[in-house]
């Protein structure tokens, strides 16, 4: 696979997210946000799509501060998590994602 082949591949992608999707998981989800032919299924993510940095204090403790937030390919920031396109509270998001993929040639 070449980079140009990967970037032009518009096969459907279903992304499963939920409250357990946090931090680096949200970074992966954000990487797919804004991609054509992509849908998110499940529940909103944990809302910690940020980068944090520790600042040492004179007494030996440290102060952790959010210094950056993840943004998608369109420049949208997700300070409170990522909402799914198809919210599913009780239903099986994997089954819904599979059905969507099948209906879109995936």
């Amino acid at each position: 696979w070449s980079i140009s082949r990967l970037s032009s591949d518009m096969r459907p992608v279903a992304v499963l997210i939920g409250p357990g999707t946090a931090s680096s998981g949200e970074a992966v989800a954000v990487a797919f946000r804004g991609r054509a032919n992509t849908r998110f299924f499940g529940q909103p993510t944990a809302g910690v799509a940020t980068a944090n940095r520790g600042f040492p204090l004179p007494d030996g403790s440290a102060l952790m501060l959010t210094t950056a937030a993840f943004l998608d390919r369109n420049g949208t920031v997700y300070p409170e998590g990522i909402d799914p396109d198809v919210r599913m509270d009780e239903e099986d998001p994997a089954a819904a994602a599979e059905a969507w993929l099948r209906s879109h040639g995936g």
Side-chain angles (χ1 to χ4, degrees):
W1 290 91
S2 70
I3 295 297
S4 61
R5 172 108 187 248
L6 288 174
S7 64
S8 66
D9 187 356
M10 284 297 118
R11 293 181 209 178
V13 172
V15 181
L16 302 177
I17 59 173
T21 308
S23 193
S24 59
E26 286 173 303
V28 172
V30 166
F32 283 95
R33 198 56 133 173
R35 181 189 177 274
N37 213 16
T38 302
R39 289 192 58 112
F40 290 70
F41 295 82
Q43 297 178 12
T45 63
V48 289
T50 59
N52 302 308
R53 180 174 172 209
F55 294 90
L57 299 175
D59 68 356
S61 61
L63 175 66
M64 296 297 288
L65 293 176
T66 298
T67 56
F70 302 153
L71 49 118
D72 67 20
R73 63 188 74 213
N74 299 317
T76 302
V77 180
Y78 297 90
E80 297 179 10
I82 303 158
D83 288 322
D85 299 311
V86 180
R87 184 175 177 128
M88 310 192 74
D89 292 321
E90 300 297 324
E91 308 86 358
D92 179 10
E98 182 179 358
W100 179 79
L101 286 169
R102 290 183 190 280
S103 72
H104 286 77

Coordinates of all heavy atoms in Angstrom, one line a residue:
W1 N 0.8 -1.2 0.0 CA 0.0 0.0 0.0 C 0.9 1.2 0.0 O 1.8 1.4 0.8 CB -0.9 0.0 1.2 CG -1.9 -1.0 1.2 CD1 -1.8 -2.3 1.7 CD2 -3.2 -0.9 0.7 NE1 -3.0 -3.0 1.5 CE2 -3.9 -2.2 0.9 CE3 -3.9 0.1 0.0 CZ2 -5.2 -2.4 0.4 CZ3 -5.2 -0.2 -0.4 CH2 -5.8 -1.4 -0.2
S2 N 0.5 2.2 -0.9 CA 1.3 3.4 -0.8 C 0.4 4.5 -0.1 O -0.8 4.3 0.1 CB 1.5 3.9 -2.3 OG 0.3 4.3 -2.9
I3 N 1.0 5.5 0.3 CA 0.3 6.6 1.0 C -0.8 7.2 0.1 O -1.9 7.4 0.6 CB 1.3 7.7 1.5 CG1 2.3 7.2 2.5 CG2 0.5 8.9 2.0 CD1 1.7 6.7 3.8
S4 N -0.5 7.4 -1.1 CA -1.5 7.9 -2.0 C -2.7 7.0 -2.1 O -3.9 7.4 -2.2 CB -0.9 8.3 -3.4 OG -0.5 7.1 -4.0
R5 N -2.5 5.7 -2.1 CA -3.6 4.7 -2.2 C -4.4 4.8 -1.0 O -5.6 4.7 -1.0 CB -3.0 3.3 -2.5 CG -4.1 2.2 -2.4 CD -4.4 1.7 -3.7 NE -5.5 0.7 -3.6 CZ -5.4 -0.5 -3.8 NH1 -4.2 -1.1 -4.1 NH2 -6.5 -1.3 -3.7
L6 N -3.7 4.8 0.2 CA -4.4 4.9 1.5 C -5.3 6.2 1.6 O -6.4 6.1 2.0 CB -3.5 4.8 2.6 CG -2.9 3.4 2.9 CD1 -1.8 3.5 4.0 CD2 -3.9 2.4 3.2
S7 N -4.7 7.3 1.2 CA -5.4 8.6 1.3 C -6.6 8.7 0.4 O -7.5 9.4 0.7 CB -4.4 9.7 1.2 OG -3.9 9.7 -0.1
S8 N -6.6 8.0 -0.7 CA -7.7 8.1 -1.7 C -8.7 7.0 -1.5 O -9.7 6.9 -2.1 CB -7.1 8.1 -3.1 OG -6.6 6.8 -3.4
D9 N -8.5 6.1 -0.6 CA -9.4 5.0 -0.3 C -10.6 5.5 0.5 O -10.4 5.8 1.6 CB -8.6 3.9 0.5 CG -9.4 2.6 0.6 OD1 -10.6 2.6 0.2 OD2 -8.9 1.6 1.1
M10 N -11.7 5.4 -0.1 CA -12.9 6.0 0.6 C -13.9 4.8 1.0 O -15.1 5.0 0.9 CB -13.6 7.0 -0.3 CG -12.9 8.3 -0.3 SD -12.9 9.1 1.3 CE -11.2 9.1 1.7
R11 N -13.3 3.7 1.3 CA -14.2 2.6 1.8 C -14.9 3.1 3.1 O -14.3 3.9 3.8 CB -13.4 1.4 2.1 CG -12.8 0.8 0.9 CD -12.0 -0.5 1.2 NE -11.0 -0.6 0.3 CZ -10.1 -1.6 0.3 NH1 -10.0 -2.4 1.3 NH2 -9.2 -1.6 -0.7
P12 N -16.1 2.6 3.4 CA -16.7 3.0 4.6 C -16.0 2.6 5.8 O -15.4 1.5 5.9 CB -18.1 2.4 4.5 CG -17.9 1.2 3.6 CD -16.8 1.6 2.6
V13 N -16.0 3.4 6.8 CA -15.4 3.1 8.1 C -16.4 3.4 9.2 O -17.0 4.5 9.3 CB -14.1 4.0 8.4 CG1 -13.6 3.8 9.8 CG2 -13.1 3.6 7.4
A14 N -16.7 2.4 10.1 CA -17.5 2.6 11.2 C -16.7 2.7 12.5 O -15.8 1.8 12.7 CB -18.5 1.4 11.4
V15 N -16.9 3.7 13.3 CA -16.1 3.9 14.5 C -17.0 3.7 15.7 O -18.0 4.4 15.8 CB -15.4 5.3 14.5 CG1 -14.6 5.5 15.8 CG2 -14.6 5.5 13.3
L16 N -16.7 2.8 16.6 CA -17.4 2.5 17.8 C -16.8 3.3 19.0 O -15.6 3.2 19.2 CB -17.4 1.1 18.2 CG -18.0 0.1 17.1 CD1 -17.8 -1.3 17.6 CD2 -19.4 0.4 16.8
I17 N -17.7 4.2 19.6 CA -17.2 5.0 20.7 C -18.2 4.9 21.9 O -19.3 4.5 21.7 CB -17.0 6.5 20.3 CG1 -18.3 7.1 19.8 CG2 -15.9 6.6 19.3 CD1 -18.2 8.6 19.6
G18 N -17.7 5.3 23.1 CA -18.5 5.3 24.3 C -17.8 5.9 25.4 O -16.7 6.4 25.2
P19 N -18.4 5.9 26.6 CA -17.8 6.5 27.8 C -16.4 6.0 28.1 O -15.6 6.6 28.7 CB -18.8 6.3 28.9 CG -20.0 5.7 28.3 CD -19.7 5.3 26.9
G20 N -16.1 4.7 27.7 CA -14.8 4.1 27.9 C -13.8 4.6 26.9 O -12.6 4.3 27.1
T21 N -14.2 5.3 25.9 CA -13.3 5.8 24.9 C -12.7 7.2 25.5 O -13.5 8.1 25.6 CB -14.0 6.1 23.6 OG1 -14.7 4.9 23.2 CG2 -13.0 6.5 22.5
A22 N -11.5 7.2 25.9 CA -10.9 8.3 26.6 C -9.5 8.6 26.1 O -8.8 7.6 25.7 CB -11.0 8.1 28.1
S23 N -9.0 9.8 26.3 CA -7.7 10.2 26.1 C -7.1 9.7 24.7 O -7.5 10.2 23.7 CB -6.8 9.6 27.2 OG -5.5 10.2 27.2
S24 N -6.2 8.7 24.7 CA -5.6 8.3 23.4 C -6.7 7.6 22.5 O -6.6 7.7 21.3 CB -4.5 7.3 23.7 OG -4.9 6.2 24.4
G25 N -7.7 7.0 23.1 CA -8.8 6.5 22.3 C -9.6 7.6 21.6 O -10.0 7.4 20.5
E26 N -9.7 8.7 22.3 CA -10.4 9.8 21.7 C -9.5 10.4 20.6 O -10.0 10.9 19.6 CB -10.7 10.9 22.7 CG -11.9 10.5 23.6 CD -12.2 11.4 24.7 OE1 -11.3 11.6 25.6 OE2 -13.3 11.9 24.8
A27 N -8.2 10.3 20.8 CA -7.3 10.8 19.7 C -7.4 10.0 18.4 O -7.5 10.6 17.3 CB -5.8 10.7 20.2
V28 N -7.6 8.7 18.6 CA -7.8 7.8 17.4 C -9.1 8.2 16.8 O -9.2 8.3 15.5 CB -7.7 6.3 17.8 CG1 -8.1 5.5 16.6 CG2 -6.3 6.0 18.3
A29 N -10.2 8.3 17.6 CA -11.5 8.7 17.1 C -11.5 10.0 16.3 O -12.0 10.1 15.2 CB -12.5 8.7 18.2
V30 N -10.8 11.0 16.9 CA -10.7 12.3 16.3 C -10.0 12.2 14.9 O -10.3 12.9 14.0 CB -10.1 13.3 17.2 CG1 -9.6 14.6 16.4 CG2 -11.0 13.7 18.3
A31 N -9.1 11.3 14.8 CA -8.3 11.1 13.5 C -9.3 10.7 12.4 O -9.0 11.0 11.2 CB -7.2 10.1 13.7
F32 N -10.4 10.1 12.7 CA -11.4 9.6 11.7 C -12.5 10.7 11.5 O -13.2 10.6 10.6 CB -12.0 8.3 12.1 CG -11.1 7.1 11.9 CD1 -10.3 6.6 12.9 CD2 -11.1 6.6 10.6 CE1 -9.5 5.6 12.6 CE2 -10.2 5.5 10.3 CZ -9.4 5.0 11.4
R33 N -12.6 11.6 12.5 CA -13.7 12.6 12.4 C -13.5 13.5 11.2 O -12.3 13.9 10.9 CB -13.7 13.5 13.7 CG -15.0 14.2 13.9 CD -16.1 13.3 13.9 NE -17.0 13.6 15.0 CZ -18.2 13.0 15.2 NH1 -18.6 12.1 14.3 NH2 -18.9 13.3 16.2
G34 N -14.5 13.7 10.4 CA -14.4 14.6 9.2 C -14.0 13.8 8.0 O -14.0 14.4 6.9
R35 N -13.7 12.5 8.1 CA -13.4 11.7 7.0 C -14.7 11.3 6.2 O -15.7 11.0 6.9 CB -12.7 10.4 7.4 CG -12.3 9.5 6.3 CD -11.8 8.1 6.8 NE -11.5 7.2 5.8 CZ -12.4 6.4 5.2 NH1 -13.7 6.4 5.5 NH2 -12.0 5.6 4.2
A36 N -14.7 11.4 4.9 CA -15.8 11.0 4.1 C -16.1 9.6 4.3 O -15.3 8.8 4.6 CB -15.6 11.3 2.7
N37 N -17.4 9.2 4.3 CA -17.9 7.8 4.3 C -17.5 7.2 5.7 O -17.2 6.0 5.7 CB -17.3 7.0 3.2 CG -18.3 5.9 2.7 OD1 -19.4 5.9 3.0 ND2 -17.7 5.0 1.9
T38 N -17.6 7.9 6.7 CA -17.3 7.5 8.1 C -18.4 7.8 9.0 O -18.9 8.9 9.0 CB -16.0 8.1 8.6 OG1 -14.9 7.8 7.7 CG2 -15.6 7.6 10.0
R39 N -18.8 6.9 9.9 CA -19.9 7.1 10.8 C -19.5 6.6 12.2 O -18.8 5.6 12.3 CB -21.2 6.4 10.4 CG -21.8 7.2 9.2 CD -23.2 6.8 8.9 NE -24.1 7.0 10.0 CZ -25.1 7.8 10.0 NH1 -25.3 8.6 9.0 NH2 -25.9 7.9 11.0
F40 N -19.9 7.3 13.2 CA -19.6 7.0 14.6 C -20.9 6.4 15.3 O -21.9 7.0 15.2 CB -19.1 8.2 15.4 CG -17.8 8.7 15.0 CD1 -17.6 9.3 13.7 CD2 -16.7 8.6 15.8 CE1 -16.3 9.7 13.4 CE2 -15.4 9.0 15.5 CZ -15.2 9.6 14.2
F41 N -20.7 5.3 16.0 CA -21.8 4.6 16.6 C -21.5 4.4 18.1 O -20.4 4.1 18.5 CB -22.0 3.2 16.0 CG -22.4 3.2 14.5 CD1 -21.4 3.4 13.5 CD2 -23.7 3.0 14.2 CE1 -21.8 3.3 12.2 CE2 -24.1 3.0 12.8 CZ -23.1 3.2 11.8
G42 N -22.6 4.6 18.9 CA -22.4 4.3 20.3 C -22.9 5.5 21.2 O -24.0 6.0 21.0
Q43 N -22.1 5.9 22.2 CA -22.4 6.9 23.1 C -21.2 7.9 23.1 O -20.1 7.6 22.6 CB -22.6 6.3 24.5 CG -23.7 5.4 24.6 CD -23.8 4.8 26.0 OE1 -23.2 5.2 26.9 NE2 -24.6 3.8 26.1
P44 N -21.5 9.1 23.7 CA -20.4 10.1 23.7 C -19.2 9.6 24.5 O -19.3 8.8 25.4 CB -21.0 11.3 24.5 CG -22.5 11.1 24.3 CD -22.7 9.6 24.2
T45 N -18.0 10.1 24.1 CA -16.8 9.7 24.7 C -16.6 10.3 26.0 O -17.4 11.2 26.4 CB -15.6 10.0 23.8 OG1 -15.5 11.4 23.6 CG2 -15.7 9.3 22.4
A46 N -15.5 10.0 26.7 CA -15.3 10.5 28.1 C -15.1 12.0 28.2 O -15.3 12.6 29.2 CB -14.1 9.7 28.7
G47 N -14.6 12.6 27.1 CA -14.4 14.0 27.2 C -13.0 14.5 27.7 O -12.9 15.5 28.3
V48 N -12.0 13.7 27.5 CA -10.7 14.0 27.9 C -9.7 14.0 26.7 O -8.6 13.5 26.7 CB -10.1 13.1 29.0 CG1 -10.9 13.5 30.3 CG2 -10.3 11.7 28.7
A49 N -10.2 14.6 25.6 CA -9.4 14.7 24.4 C -8.5 15.8 24.4 O -8.6 16.8 23.7 CB -10.4 14.8 23.1
T50 N -7.6 15.7 25.3 CA -6.6 16.8 25.6 C -5.2 16.3 25.8 O -5.0 15.1 26.0 CB -7.0 17.6 26.8 OG1 -7.1 16.7 27.9 CG2 -8.4 18.3 26.7
A51 N -4.3 17.2 25.8 CA -2.9 16.9 26.2 C -2.6 17.7 27.4 O -3.0 18.8 27.6 CB -1.9 17.3 25.0
N52 N -2.0 17.0 28.4 CA -1.7 17.6 29.7 C -0.2 17.6 29.9 O 0.5 16.8 29.4 CB -2.4 16.8 30.8 CG -3.9 16.7 30.6 OD1 -4.5 17.7 30.4 ND2 -4.4 15.5 30.6
R53 N 0.2 18.6 30.7 CA 1.6 18.8 31.0 C 1.8 19.1 32.5 O 1.0 19.8 33.1 CB 2.2 19.9 30.2 CG 3.7 20.1 30.4 CD 4.3 21.2 29.5 NE 5.6 21.4 29.9 CZ 6.2 22.6 29.7 NH1 5.6 23.6 29.1 NH2 7.4 22.8 30.2
G54 N 2.8 18.4 33.1 CA 3.0 18.7 34.5 C 4.1 19.8 34.7 O 5.0 19.9 33.9
F55 N 3.8 20.7 35.6 CA 4.7 21.7 35.9 C 5.2 21.6 37.4 O 4.3 21.6 38.3 CB 4.0 23.1 35.8 CG 3.6 23.4 34.4 CD1 2.4 23.0 33.8 CD2 4.5 24.1 33.5 CE1 2.0 23.3 32.5 CE2 4.1 24.4 32.2 CZ 2.9 23.9 31.7
P56 N 6.5 21.3 37.6 CA 6.9 21.1 39.0 C 6.8 22.4 39.8 O 7.0 23.5 39.3 CB 8.4 20.7 38.8 CG 8.8 21.1 37.4 CD 7.5 21.3 36.6
L57 N 6.5 22.2 41.1 CA 6.3 23.3 42.0 C 7.5 23.2 43.0 O 8.1 22.2 43.2 CB 5.0 23.2 42.7 CG 3.8 23.3 41.8 CD1 2.5 23.1 42.6 CD2 3.7 24.7 41.1
P58 N 7.9 24.3 43.6 CA 9.0 24.4 44.5 C 9.0 23.4 45.7 O 10.0 22.9 46.1 CB 9.0 25.8 45.1 CG 8.2 26.6 44.1 CD 7.2 25.6 43.5
D59 N 7.8 23.0 46.1 CA 7.7 22.0 47.2 C 7.8 20.6 46.8 O 7.7 19.7 47.6 CB 6.4 22.3 48.0 CG 5.2 21.9 47.2 OD1 5.3 21.5 46.0 OD2 4.1 22.0 47.8
G60 N 8.1 20.3 45.5 CA 8.2 19.0 45.0 C 7.0 18.4 44.4 O 7.0 17.4 43.8
S61 N 5.9 19.0 44.6 CA 4.6 18.6 44.0 C 4.6 19.1 42.5 O 5.5 19.8 42.1 CB 3.4 19.0 44.8 OG 3.4 20.4 44.8
A62 N 3.5 18.7 41.8 CA 3.4 19.2 40.4 C 2.0 19.6 40.2 O 1.1 19.1 40.8 CB 3.8 18.1 39.5
L63 N 1.9 20.5 39.3 CA 0.6 21.0 38.8 C 0.3 20.5 37.4 O 1.2 20.8 36.5 CB 0.6 22.6 38.8 CG -0.7 23.3 38.3 CD1 -1.9 22.9 39.2 CD2 -0.4 24.8 38.3
M64 N -0.7 19.8 37.2 CA -1.0 19.3 35.8 C -2.0 20.2 35.2 O -3.1 20.5 35.8 CB -1.7 17.9 35.9 CG -0.7 16.8 36.5 SD 0.7 16.6 35.5 CE 0.0 15.7 34.1
L65 N -1.7 20.7 34.0 CA -2.6 21.6 33.3 C -2.8 21.1 31.9 O -1.9 20.5 31.2 CB -1.9 23.0 33.2 CG -1.8 23.8 34.4 CD1 -1.0 25.1 34.1 CD2 -3.1 24.1 35.1
T66 N -4.0 21.3 31.4 CA -4.3 21.0 30.0 C -3.7 22.1 29.1 O -3.9 23.3 29.3 CB -5.8 21.0 29.8 OG1 -6.4 20.0 30.6 CG2 -6.2 20.7 28.3
T67 N -2.8 21.6 28.2 CA -2.1 22.5 27.4 C -2.5 22.5 25.9 O -2.0 23.3 25.1 CB -0.6 22.3 27.5 OG1 -0.3 20.9 27.1 CG2 -0.1 22.5 28.9
A68 N -3.3 21.5 25.6 CA -3.7 21.4 24.2 C -5.0 20.5 24.1 O -5.3 19.8 25.0 CB -2.6 20.7 23.3
A69 N -5.7 20.7 23.0 CA -6.9 19.9 22.8 C -6.8 19.3 21.4 O -6.2 19.9 20.5 CB -8.2 20.8 22.9
F70 N -7.4 18.1 21.3 CA -7.4 17.5 19.9 C -8.3 18.2 19.0 O -9.4 18.6 19.4 CB -7.8 16.0 20.1 CG -7.0 15.2 21.0 CD1 -7.6 14.1 21.6 CD2 -5.7 15.4 21.3 CE1 -6.8 13.3 22.5 CE2 -4.9 14.7 22.1 CZ -5.5 13.6 22.8
L71 N -7.9 18.3 17.7 CA -8.8 18.8 16.7 C -8.8 17.9 15.5 O -7.8 17.3 15.2 CB -8.6 20.3 16.4 CG -7.2 20.7 16.1 CD1 -7.1 21.3 14.7 CD2 -6.9 21.9 17.1
D72 N -9.9 17.9 14.8 CA -10.0 17.0 13.7 C -9.4 17.7 12.4 O -9.0 18.8 12.4 CB -11.4 16.5 13.5 CG -12.4 17.6 13.1 OD1 -12.0 18.7 12.6 OD2 -13.6 17.4 13.3
R73 N -9.6 17.0 11.3 CA -9.0 17.5 10.0 C -9.7 18.8 9.5 O -9.1 19.4 8.6 CB -9.1 16.4 9.0 CG -10.5 15.9 8.6 CD -10.5 14.7 7.7 NE -10.2 13.5 8.5 CZ -9.6 12.5 7.9 NH1 -9.2 12.5 6.7 NH2 -9.3 11.5 8.7
N74 N -10.8 19.1 10.1 CA -11.5 20.3 9.7 C -11.3 21.4 10.7 O -11.9 22.5 10.6 CB -13.0 20.1 9.6 CG -13.3 19.0 8.5 OD1 -12.7 19.1 7.4 ND2 -14.2 18.1 8.8
G75 N -10.5 21.2 11.8 CA -10.2 22.2 12.8 C -11.2 22.2 13.9 O -11.1 23.2 14.7
T76 N -12.1 21.3 14.0 CA -13.1 21.2 15.1 C -12.4 20.7 16.4 O -11.7 19.7 16.3 CB -14.3 20.4 14.8 OG1 -14.9 20.9 13.6 CG2 -15.3 20.3 15.9
V77 N -12.6 21.4 17.5 CA -12.0 21.0 18.8 C -13.1 20.2 19.6 O -14.3 20.5 19.5 CB -11.6 22.2 19.6 CG1 -11.0 21.8 20.9 CG2 -10.5 23.0 18.8
Y78 N -12.7 19.2 20.4 CA -13.6 18.4 21.1 C -13.3 18.5 22.6 O -12.9 17.5 23.2 CB -13.5 17.0 20.6 CG -13.9 16.8 19.2 CD1 -13.0 17.0 18.2 CD2 -15.3 16.7 18.9 CE1 -13.4 16.9 16.9 CE2 -15.7 16.6 17.5 CZ -14.7 16.7 16.5 OH -15.1 16.7 15.2
P79 N -13.6 19.6 23.2 CA -13.3 19.8 24.7 C -14.2 19.0 25.6 O -13.8 18.8 26.7 CB -13.5 21.3 24.9 CG -14.5 21.7 23.9 CD -14.3 20.8 22.7
E80 N -15.3 18.6 25.1 CA -16.2 17.8 26.0 C -16.5 16.4 25.4 O -17.5 15.8 25.7 CB -17.5 18.6 26.2 CG -17.2 19.9 26.9 CD -18.5 20.7 27.2 OE1 -19.6 20.2 26.9 OE2 -18.3 21.9 27.6
G81 N -15.7 15.9 24.6 CA -15.8 14.6 24.0 C -16.4 14.6 22.6 O -16.7 15.7 22.1
I82 N -16.6 13.4 22.1 CA -17.0 13.2 20.7 C -18.4 12.6 20.8 O -18.6 11.5 21.4 CB -16.1 12.3 20.0 CG1 -14.7 12.9 20.0 CG2 -16.5 12.1 18.5 CD1 -13.6 11.9 19.8
D83 N -19.4 13.2 20.1 CA -20.7 12.6 20.0 C -20.8 11.7 18.8 O -20.3 12.0 17.8 CB -21.8 13.7 19.9 CG -22.0 14.5 21.2 OD1 -21.9 13.9 22.2 OD2 -22.2 15.7 21.1
P84 N -21.5 10.6 19.0 CA -21.6 9.7 17.9 C -22.7 10.2 16.9 O -23.5 11.0 17.2 CB -22.2 8.4 18.5 CG -22.9 8.9 19.7 CD -22.1 10.1 20.2
D85 N -22.5 9.8 15.6 CA -23.5 10.1 14.6 C -24.8 9.3 14.9 O -25.9 9.9 14.7 CB -23.0 9.8 13.2 CG -21.8 10.5 12.8 OD1 -21.8 11.8 13.0 OD2 -20.8 9.9 12.4
V86 N -24.7 8.1 15.4 CA -25.8 7.2 15.7 C -25.7 6.9 17.2 O -24.8 6.1 17.5 CB -25.8 6.0 14.8 CG1 -27.0 5.1 15.2 CG2 -25.8 6.3 13.3
R87 N -26.5 7.6 18.0 CA -26.4 7.3 19.4 C -27.2 6.1 19.7 O -28.4 5.9 19.3 CB -27.0 8.5 20.2 CG -26.8 8.2 21.7 CD -27.2 9.4 22.5 NE -27.1 9.0 23.9 CZ -26.4 9.7 24.8 NH1 -25.8 10.8 24.4 NH2 -26.3 9.3 26.0
M88 N -26.6 5.2 20.5 CA -27.2 3.9 20.9 C -27.0 3.7 22.4 O -25.9 3.5 22.8 CB -26.6 2.8 20.1 CG -26.6 3.1 18.6 SD -26.2 1.7 17.6 CE -27.7 0.9 17.7
D89 N -28.1 3.8 23.1 CA -27.9 3.6 24.6 C -28.1 2.2 25.0 O -27.4 1.7 25.8 CB -29.0 4.5 25.3 CG -28.6 6.0 25.1 OD1 -27.4 6.3 25.2 OD2 -29.5 6.8 24.9
E90 N -29.1 1.5 24.4 CA -29.4 0.1 24.8 C -29.0 -0.9 23.7 O -28.8 -2.0 23.9 CB -30.8 0.0 25.2 CG -31.2 0.8 26.4 CD -30.5 0.5 27.7 OE1 -30.2 -0.7 27.9 OE2 -30.2 1.4 28.4
E91 N -29.1 -0.4 22.5 CA -28.9 -1.3 21.3 C -27.4 -1.7 21.2 O -26.6 -1.1 21.8 CB -29.4 -0.6 20.1 CG -30.8 0.0 20.1 CD -30.9 1.4 20.7 OE1 -29.9 1.9 21.1 OE2 -32.0 1.9 20.7
D92 N -27.2 -2.6 20.3 CA -25.8 -3.1 20.1 C -25.1 -2.2 19.0 O -25.5 -2.4 17.8 CB -25.8 -4.5 19.7 CG -24.4 -5.1 19.4 OD1 -23.4 -4.4 19.7 OD2 -24.4 -6.2 18.9
P93 N -24.2 -1.3 19.4 CA -23.6 -0.5 18.3 C -22.8 -1.2 17.3 O -22.7 -0.8 16.2 CB -22.8 0.5 19.1 CG -22.6 -0.1 20.5 CD -23.7 -1.0 20.7
A94 N -22.2 -2.3 17.7 CA -21.4 -3.1 16.8 C -22.3 -3.7 15.7 O -22.0 -3.7 14.5 CB -20.7 -4.2 17.5
A95 N -23.5 -4.2 16.0 CA -24.4 -4.7 15.1 C -24.9 -3.6 14.1 O -25.1 -3.8 12.9 CB -25.6 -5.4 15.8
A96 N -25.2 -2.4 14.7 CA -25.7 -1.3 13.8 C -24.6 -0.9 12.9 O -24.8 -0.6 11.7 CB -26.1 -0.2 14.7
A97 N -23.3 -0.8 13.4 CA -22.2 -0.5 12.6 C -22.0 -1.5 11.4 O -21.8 -1.1 10.3 CB -20.9 -0.4 13.4
E98 N -22.1 -2.7 11.8 CA -22.0 -3.8 10.7 C -23.0 -3.6 9.7 O -22.8 -3.7 8.5 CB -22.0 -5.2 11.4 CG -21.9 -6.3 10.4 CD -21.9 -7.7 11.0 OE1 -22.0 -7.8 12.2 OE2 -21.8 -8.6 10.2
A99 N -24.3 -3.4 10.1 CA -25.4 -3.2 9.1 C -25.1 -2.0 8.2 O -25.3 -2.1 7.0 CB -26.7 -3.1 9.8
W100 N -24.6 -0.9 8.8 CA -24.3 0.3 8.0 C -23.2 0.0 7.0 O -23.3 0.3 5.8 CB -23.9 1.4 8.9 CG -23.6 2.7 8.2 CD1 -24.4 3.5 7.6 CD2 -22.3 3.1 7.9 NE1 -23.7 4.5 6.9 CE2 -22.4 4.3 7.1 CE3 -21.0 2.6 8.1 CZ2 -21.3 5.0 6.6 CZ3 -19.9 3.4 7.7 CH2 -20.1 4.5 6.9
L101 N -22.2 -0.7 7.5 CA -21.1 -1.1 6.6 C -21.5 -1.9 5.4 O -21.1 -1.7 4.3 CB -19.9 -1.8 7.4 CG -19.1 -0.9 8.3 CD1 -18.2 -1.8 9.2 CD2 -18.2 0.0 7.5
R102 N -22.3 -2.9 5.7 CA -22.9 -3.8 4.6 C -23.7 -3.0 3.6 O -23.6 -3.3 2.4 CB -23.7 -5.0 5.2 CG -22.9 -6.0 6.0 CD -23.7 -7.1 6.5 NE -23.0 -8.0 7.3 CZ -22.2 -9.0 6.9 NH1 -21.9 -9.1 5.7 NH2 -21.5 -9.7 7.8
S103 N -24.5 -2.1 4.1 CA -25.3 -1.3 3.2 C -24.5 -0.3 2.4 O -25.0 0.3 1.4 CB -26.4 -0.6 4.0 OG -25.9 0.5 4.8
H104 N -23.3 0.0 2.8 CA -22.4 0.9 2.1 C -21.2 0.2 1.4 O -20.2 0.9 1.1 CB -21.9 2.0 3.0 CG -23.0 3.0 3.4 ND1 -24.0 2.7 4.3 CD2 -23.2 4.2 2.9 CE1 -24.8 3.7 4.4 NE2 -24.4 4.7 3.5
G105 N -21.4 -1.0 1.1 CA -20.3 -1.8 0.4 C -19.1 -2.1 1.2 O -18.1 -2.4 0.6
G106 N -19.2 -2.1 2.5 CA -18.1 -2.4 3.3 C -18.0 -3.9 3.6 O -18.8 -4.7 3.3

